[in-house]
């Protein structure tokens, strides 16, 4: 029985790696905007940084990229393979593999399962996620950002373990957590949600004074390059880019509210394998007891908002919106009751997660919702594989995380099959020209 289990996990790892390689060979067909980003600006910006580092930083806004420049500095000066497009893509091909390996190591360190092979099997499933894989195929900013993000999670968990065991004085771990968190932000500023969450956590959980002082002081020094950019750009976004995204109404606080149904549906999407398994196990009474009342509340609330006309914008997404909203469009674009049901289920899940561990889960999820909710066009791409990371690693303290850990081998299979079907569907969805990417 043990050999059968090992063979199954080895098959999942091998299949995901082979699928990832095949996807790289045929990356022109990837169902995301990564190709467009690379061809529009990524490669040309890297060349600009090679030729003029200082000028490219100061005039970063002319590249129409609302991210920060560390990704381009890295590839211009530290990536020895960025001398041609083909060699550059070969180098970034390994970014997702590095992320998968670090993710697997985290699952092992977190003792998600006693068998290392099983941990790497679950971790390998991210390689078949279409948006995540495409970012590494084409070498856009998120590909490097995910590496530094999972490394920062690794050190965050070590910081937590030290606090739990009342170990103080391990400044190296605190420094490395702050360093990789800062690196992640200087690549993709949307990852700022993680230090925000950490700051709330260390005070809400009443962690040691040593951790509070050393981490906040270290974060301050890590933020100095950011203050320099704000000074040069006269704002947190480079000048020319700011003209496009701020005054072009592409980011605004009002979109945080408008994007709530989309974010809730995306959360539910990446938790779907857990609920599917629960249903197959016959856990209907448990599901009804946990989620029925909040679902009824959110469904009635959203239905009223919809019938008063305040959700009409959900009928008109040409860009973004997430997979489940686009699925509703296939059913019928004029009547989005299917999506309202899905979003209500997502809200009920998020509400229940909030109740289970308020001090931890509310700062984590709210910071994600607020930071990621600003854009007018919200893509599922932004959340992949973020939500899968935080639920499987246990950053969210929830019965769902515990259930995944308790049923680890079966859940690995469920996630593997779910992600595979999702990937195949997204490829067909894009290449049959049914819609712009999610």
């Amino acid at each position: 029985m043990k050999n059968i289990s090992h063979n199954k996990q080895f098959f999942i790892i091998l299949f995901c790696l082979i699928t990832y390689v095949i996807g790289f060979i045929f990356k022109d067909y990837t169902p995301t905007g990564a190709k467009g980003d690379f061809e529009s600006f990524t490669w040309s910006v890297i060349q600009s940084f090679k030729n003029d580092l200082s000028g490219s930083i100061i005039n970063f806004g002319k590249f129409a990229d609302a991210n920060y420049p560390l990704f381009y500095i890295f590839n211009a000066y530290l990536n020895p393979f960025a001398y041609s497009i083909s060699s550059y893509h070969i180098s970034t091909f390994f970014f997702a593999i590095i992320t998968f390996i670090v993710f697997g190591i985290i699952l092992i360190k977190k003792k998600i399962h006693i068998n290392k092979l099983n941990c790497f099997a679950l971790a390998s499933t991210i390689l078949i996620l279409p948006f995540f894989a495409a970012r590494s195929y084409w070498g856009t900013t998120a590909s490097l950002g995910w590496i530094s993000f999972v490394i920062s999670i690794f050190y965050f968990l070590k910081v937590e373990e030290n606090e739990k065991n009342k170990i103080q004085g391990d400044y190296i771990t605190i420094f490395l957590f702050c360093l990789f968190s800062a690196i992640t932000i200087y690549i993709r500023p949307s990852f700022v949600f993680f230090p925000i969450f950490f700051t709330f956590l260390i005070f809400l959980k009443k962690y040691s004074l040593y951790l509070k002082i050393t981490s906040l002081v270290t974060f301050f020094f890590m933020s100095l390059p950011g203050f320099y950019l704000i000074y040069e750009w006269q704002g947190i976004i480079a000048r020319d880019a700011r003209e496009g995204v701020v005054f072009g109404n592409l980011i605004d606080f009002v979109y945080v509210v408008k994007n709530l149904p989309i974010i809730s549906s995306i959360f539910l999407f990446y938790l779907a394998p857990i609920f599917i398994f629960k249903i197959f196990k016959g856990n209907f009474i448990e599901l009804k007891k946990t989620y029925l009342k909040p679902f009824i509340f959110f469904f009635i609330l959203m239905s009223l908002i919809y019938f008063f006309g305040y959700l009409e914008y959900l009928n008109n997404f040409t860009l973004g919106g997430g997979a489940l909203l686009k699925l509703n469009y296939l059913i019928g674009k004029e009547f989005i009751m299917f999506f309202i049901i899905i979003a209500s289920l997502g809200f009920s899940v998020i509400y229940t997660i909030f109740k289970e561990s308020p001090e931890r889960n509310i700062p984590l999820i709210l910071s994600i919702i607020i930071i990621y909710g600003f854009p007018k066009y919200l893509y599922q791409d932004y959340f992949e594989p973020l939500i899968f990371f935080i639920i499987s690693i246990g950053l969210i303290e929830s019965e769902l995380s515990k259930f995944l850990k308790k049923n680890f081998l079966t859940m690995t299979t469920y996630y593997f099959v779910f992600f595979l079907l999702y990937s195949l569907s997204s490829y067909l969805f894009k290449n049959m020209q049914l819609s712009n990417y999610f």
Side-chain angles (χ1 to χ4, degrees):
M1 190 70 178
K2 186 177 180 181
N3 288 335
I4 294 174
S5 175
H6 283 190
N7 290 339
K8 184 179 179 181
Q9 305 309 312
F10 181 76
F11 168 80
I12 291 175
I13 295 171
L14 186 61
F15 184 93
C16 291
L17 285 168
I18 292 173
T19 302
Y20 179 72
V21 171
I22 293 172
F24 176 72
I25 296 171
F26 298 100
K27 60 180 176 289
D28 281 327
Y29 300 97
T30 51
T32 74
K35 179 183 179 182
D37 289 351
F38 177 79
E39 293 178 341
S40 297
F41 58 85
T42 301
W43 182 248
S44 61
V45 177
I46 292 173
Q47 304 314 304
S48 176
F49 270 78
K50 283 183 178 181
N51 297 326
D52 182 8
L53 174 62
S54 177
S56 296
I57 292 175
I58 293 172
N59 300 299
F60 189 69
K62 71 180 182 180
F63 302 121
D65 187 349
N67 290 305
Y68 276 21
L70 184 57
F71 170 83
Y72 300 105
I73 296 171
F74 172 84
N75 283 294
Y77 295 98
L78 298 178
N79 185 349
F81 302 99
Y83 56 84
S84 71
I85 290 176
S86 58
S87 62
Y88 171 73
H89 282 157
I90 290 172
S91 69
T92 62
F93 164 86
F94 291 99
F95 285 179
I97 294 177
I98 294 170
T99 305
F100 140 62
I101 292 172
V102 177
F103 181 28
I105 292 172
I106 291 173
L107 293 175
I108 293 169
K109 295 291 185 182
K110 187 69 174 173
K111 296 181 175 60
I112 300 299
H113 197 268
I114 58 174
N115 187 283
K116 295 179 182 179
L117 184 66
N118 295 336
C119 290
F120 280 113
L122 180 66
S124 70
T125 60
I126 65 172
L127 296 175
I128 57 176
L129 287 170
F131 296 110
F132 172 71
R135 290 298 176 186
S136 290
Y137 293 159
W138 291 100
T140 56
T141 52
S143 60
L144 186 61
W146 287 119
I147 295 177
S148 55
F149 177 66
V150 292
I151 295 174
S152 66
I153 290 177
F154 176 83
Y155 286 109
F156 166 79
L157 295 173
K158 289 191 70 174
V159 169
E160 276 206 315
E161 185 179 354
N162 286 344
E163 284 295 309
K164 182 179 179 180
N165 297 325
K166 301 192 181 302
I167 298 174
Q168 294 187 18
D170 184 7
Y171 178 67
I172 296 298
T173 298
I174 297 172
F175 173 80
L176 290 172
F177 164 67
C178 295
L179 173 65
F180 282 102
S181 296
I183 288 173
T184 309
I185 295 169
Y186 288 131
I187 295 171
R188 299 272 288 193
S190 56
F191 282 106
V192 72
F193 82 86
F194 199 44
I196 292 174
F197 155 66
F198 175 78
T199 303
F200 274 100
L201 185 69
I202 59 177
F203 286 97
L204 291 174
K205 286 274 191 177
K206 298 181 181 179
Y207 283 167
S208 67
L209 182 62
Y210 176 82
L211 174 61
K212 293 174 184 177
I213 294 175
T214 54
S215 59
L216 293 178
V217 170
T218 305
F219 268 133
F220 171 76
F221 282 103
M222 296 291 179
S223 68
L224 293 180
F227 287 127
Y228 165 74
L229 292 178
I230 291 171
Y231 171 77
E232 285 289 350
W233 295 347
Q234 298 299 302
I236 61 174
I237 301 174
R239 280 185 293 271
D240 294 336
R242 186 167 65 245
E243 293 292 325
V245 299
V246 177
F247 298 108
N249 292 322
L250 295 179
I251 63 170
D252 196 297
F253 186 76
V254 70
Y255 296 128
V256 175
V257 177
K258 287 189 171 185
N259 284 327
L260 282 175
I262 297 171
I263 294 173
S264 71
S265 73
I266 294 173
F267 259 88
L268 184 67
F269 181 87
Y270 291 101
L271 300 177
I274 299 176
F275 288 103
I276 292 170
F277 181 46
K278 280 176 171 285
I279 292 170
F280 284 162
K281 281 190 70 177
N283 293 0
F284 295 105
I285 296 176
E286 176 206 332
L287 291 171
K288 179 181 176 181
K289 181 180 179 181
T290 306
Y291 299 106
L292 182 60
K293 287 183 179 179
F295 166 72
I296 291 173
F297 171 81
F298 287 113
F299 177 71
I300 293 173
L301 178 63
M302 287 197 66
S303 296
L304 289 172
I305 295 172
Y306 172 65
F307 285 115
F308 279 106
Y310 292 106
L311 295 179
E312 286 185 357
Y313 66 93
L314 292 172
N315 295 92
N316 303 307
F317 270 78
T318 55
L319 296 173
L324 294 173
L325 180 60
K326 293 302 174 67
L327 178 60
N328 194 135
Y329 286 2
L330 291 179
I331 299 170
K333 192 172 182 179
E334 296 77 19
F335 192 62
I336 57 167
M337 191 53 64
F338 168 77
F339 180 74
I340 287 175
I341 293 172
I342 293 297
S344 300
L345 285 169
F347 280 128
S348 67
V349 172
I350 292 173
Y351 169 77
T352 303
I353 290 174
F354 280 175
K355 288 203 310 179
E356 289 175 311
S357 182
E359 292 180 337
R360 185 185 189 89
N361 294 340
I362 291 178
L364 176 58
I365 296 178
L366 274 187
S367 60
I368 292 172
I369 289 173
I370 293 171
I371 297 300
Y372 282 83
F374 274 105
K376 179 178 182 179
Y377 302 112
L378 186 67
Y379 297 100
Q380 187 155 330
D381 182 359
Y382 301 161
F383 298 88
E384 189 171 292
L386 174 60
I387 298 170
F388 181 54
F389 280 155
I390 62 178
I391 196 70
S392 59
I393 292 171
L395 286 182
I396 291 178
E397 289 184 348
S398 168
E399 181 273 334
L400 297 174
S401 294
K402 295 174 183 175
F403 182 86
L404 188 152
K405 183 176 181 179
K406 183 179 178 181
N407 301 276
F408 189 83
L409 296 179
T410 305
M411 285 311 310
T412 298
T413 303
Y414 269 67
Y415 265 107
F416 167 66
V417 174
F418 182 79
F419 285 165
L420 181 60
L421 292 174
Y422 159 50
S423 183
L424 291 172
S425 300
S426 61
Y427 270 81
L428 291 173
F429 201 72
K430 186 248 185 179
N431 292 294
M432 290 174 65
Q433 297 182 341
L434 293 173
S435 173
N436 290 315
Y437 81 99
F438 309 150

